[in-house]
Amino acid sequence: RRREEESRLERERVDRDKQQKFDYDRAALERARREEERIQREREQRRHQDQIELENLKKEQQRKKDAAISTFNSTPSSSSSSLPSLDDFDLGLGDLNNLTSELDNIIGSM
């Protein structure tokens, strides 16, 4: 009878230990899931913010380009009729270097 009681108590202890481990593991998984969701939300917010900043930069670049074109086109010049409009150019760095060289050549030949 005493052995039966000891055996029953041991089984109960083992069952309690298993339940505690299960509860602990389940809680750890839940914490990990919540943390992953938080990280994912932060990534999405950053991605959204980056997209907004990119759009704002594009708008600012276009505004500056439009202002430069407007200023260039409204500047009076004695030979402005023979000059192309700034609208005709979509200059990259290489184009600007070539244009600078050409201007140096023109100035040098004067």
Side-chain angles (χ1 to χ4, degrees), residues 5-61:
E5 181 65 18
E6 287 175 356
S7 178
R8 184 185 63 77
L9 290 174
E10 180 63 18
R11 281 193 310 275
E12 287 176 1
R13 186 191 62 75
V14 168
D15 289 346
R16 259 193 329 273
D17 289 349
K18 285 181 181 178
Q19 185 63 43
Q20 285 177 339
K21 179 167 179 13
F22 176 80
D23 291 344
Y24 177 82
D25 289 347
R26 186 178 58 207
L29 286 172
E30 182 62 24
R31 284 191 305 273
R33 184 189 62 77
R34 283 194 309 265
E35 179 67 11
E36 183 59 35
E37 287 174 351
R38 182 190 65 77
I39 290 169
Q40 187 62 29
R41 278 193 309 273
E42 287 176 0
R43 283 182 186 149
E44 289 172 11
Q45 289 171 346
R46 273 195 305 271
R47 202 171 304 135
H48 181 69
Q49 187 61 35
D50 289 348
Q51 187 64 34
I52 290 171
E53 289 176 18
L54 179 61
E55 291 299 320
N56 288 340
L57 283 173
K58 287 179 181 178
K59 289 176 186 175
E60 182 65 16
Q61 283 180 328

Side-chain angles (χ1 to χ4, degrees), residues 64-109:
K64 287 179 180 179
K65 180 181 175 185
D66 292 346
I69 290 170
S70 175
T71 300
F72 181 83
N73 288 337
S74 66
T75 303
S77 173
S78 58
S79 59
S80 64
S81 60
S82 65
L83 292 175
S85 164
L86 193 56
D87 287 323
D88 298 333
F89 295 101
D90 184 17
L91 300 176
L93 186 56
D95 296 324
L96 289 175
N97 288 336
N98 291 338
L99 186 57
T100 303
S101 296
E102 288 182 41
L103 287 173
D104 288 341
N105 291 338
I106 293 170
I107 293 171
S109 68

